[in-house]
Amino acid sequence: YQRRVHGGLKELEDSQRNTNQGMDIFGQLFGGGGGQERGKGQDVRMRLKVSLDDIYNGNTHTVTYAKQKLRSKAVVKDCLKCKSQPPVMKRVQIAPGFVVQQQVAPPCDHVCSGGAKQVQKGYQQTLEVFIEKGIPEGHQLTYEMEADEYPDRLPGDIIFNVQSAPHPVFTRAGDDLLMTQHISLLEALVGFKKSVTHMDGHTVEIARKSVTPPRFQISIPNEGMPKHNVPSEKGKLIVTFEVDFPPSITAEQSQAFKNILK
């Protein structure tokens, strides 16, 4: 999967990661847990339900959600009240027993000349989410620092949990696909040949020349789901046959069956 990380944010994140590694020592000295990420907003988790066709073929989804966003630098520059106020010093705890002072933007509870406050709520953010072929059920896609923005800390991450929607023909079972094929009583006795259109449009031939009992199963290799990260390889297509019996037969048909099957 793809991650949307801009160069400046990436450098900032790397700097914070190095700082957190150094804080492990302080955490051990002052009784804190090492390695915990601080100075970052809350992650947002979303369930992303996609069609089984998209998981089979791969596809890109456009997701729009509301977030809190900082106003642009141009708006800050045009705001006379903000320009007249210097940055304020704030005590920030970055590890248990370890507090530093850092400069943050002054509180802005007024409407600037640009028509926006320091933090814009309800901003409509759009992400392009790529669904790879064969992506596992429940797989998480993380888009770093795409959650709410704050003046004094890094944004959290957007985390999508991928789930497949029900399909009218196929059911997923890991790398395999399951389907049910209905056949008539005559086909169950003498054989049949049927065609099934797969999710990418190609045709799968299903045929039998012998008796097919109810709930009988066949396995067709390389017709299942593409394997994640190795889409050239596929699982199996497992077909279960259901025999549709006629609701009734005539006396002549009954006698004919007796004569044939005795």
Side-chain angles (χ1 to χ4, degrees):
Y1 52 86
Q2 297 175 336
R3 292 183 176 179
R4 291 162 50 93
V5 180
H6 301 293
L9 293 179
K10 181 63 175 175
E11 294 175 3
L12 183 59
E13 185 189 26
D14 291 341
S15 174
Q16 186 191 35
R17 184 180 298 111
N18 295 332
T19 302
N20 287 339
Q21 292 174 354
M23 289 304 104
D24 288 348
I25 301 175
F26 290 96
Q28 295 171 6
L29 291 175
F30 294 101
Q36 182 177 358
E37 190 171 8
R38 299 181 183 275
K40 184 177 180 181
Q42 185 175 8
D43 294 340
V44 177
R45 298 179 181 273
M46 301 182 186
R47 183 178 66 173
L48 182 62
K49 182 166 281 191
V50 299
S51 68
L52 197 61
D53 301 75
D54 287 345
I55 297 178
Y56 184 88
N57 296 299
N59 201 358
T60 299
H61 283 247
T62 300
V63 179
T64 301
Y65 59 97
K67 64 179 283 187
Q68 176 175 289
K69 185 175 178 63
L70 293 178
R71 60 183 179 175
S72 67
K73 293 182 179 180
V75 175
V76 176
K77 183 179 179 181
D78 292 338
C79 178
L80 296 178
K81 184 174 180 180
C82 288
K83 288 198 300 183
S84 65
Q85 296 181 7
V88 297
M89 299 300 296
K90 182 178 180 181
R91 291 169 58 87
V92 178
Q93 180 176 341
I94 61 175
F98 192 77
V99 179
V100 299
Q101 285 192 331
Q102 65 180 27
Q103 288 187 344
V104 298
C108 182
D109 56 359
H110 63 283
V111 176
C112 301
S113 61
K117 293 187 178 181
Q118 183 177 6
V119 174
Q120 178 184 352
K121 295 186 177 181
Y123 177 81
Q124 295 297 303
Q125 177 72 39
T126 300
L127 291 178
E128 297 293 325
V129 182
F130 180 62
I131 304 300
E132 293 181 337
K133 291 183 179 182
I135 192 169
E137 191 77 16
H139 189 78
Q140 291 187 348
L141 300 175
T142 301
Y143 286 71
E144 298 178 349
M145 294 184 284
E146 291 288 358
D148 288 339
E149 298 178 4
Y150 302 90
D152 57 349
R153 58 187 183 271
L154 290 172
D157 302 334
I158 294 292
I159 303 173
F160 293 105
N161 186 289
V162 179
Q163 297 182 0
S164 60
H167 192 275
V169 177
F170 303 103
T171 300
R172 185 180 189 180
D175 291 333
D176 297 332
L177 288 173
L178 313 178
M179 67 164 289
T180 299
Q181 178 65 59
H182 287 260
I183 57 175
S184 66
L185 178 58
L186 177 62
E187 291 172 326
L189 293 173
V190 303
F192 58 88
K193 183 177 181 180
K194 292 184 177 293
S195 298
V196 176
T197 302
H198 216 308
M199 288 183 282
D200 61 352
H202 82 274
T203 300
V204 180
E205 299 293 339
I206 302 174
R208 279 183 60 79
K209 296 182 179 179
S210 56
V211 174
T212 303
R215 306 299 299 170
F216 184 78
Q217 289 185 334
I218 63 172
S219 178
I220 306 175
N222 300 317
E223 291 293 354
M225 289 296 296
K227 296 184 179 181
H228 191 220
N229 297 324
V230 194
S232 59
E233 299 180 7
K234 295 183 175 67
K236 304 181 297 294
L237 173 61
I238 301 173
V239 184
T240 301
F241 295 100
E242 291 285 357
V243 179
D244 297 331
F245 289 85
S248 62
I249 58 175
T250 64
E252 292 79 5
Q253 290 172 329
S254 177
Q255 186 59 48
F257 274 116
K258 291 178 181 179
N259 294 336
I260 295 172
L261 301 177
K262 66 180 179 179

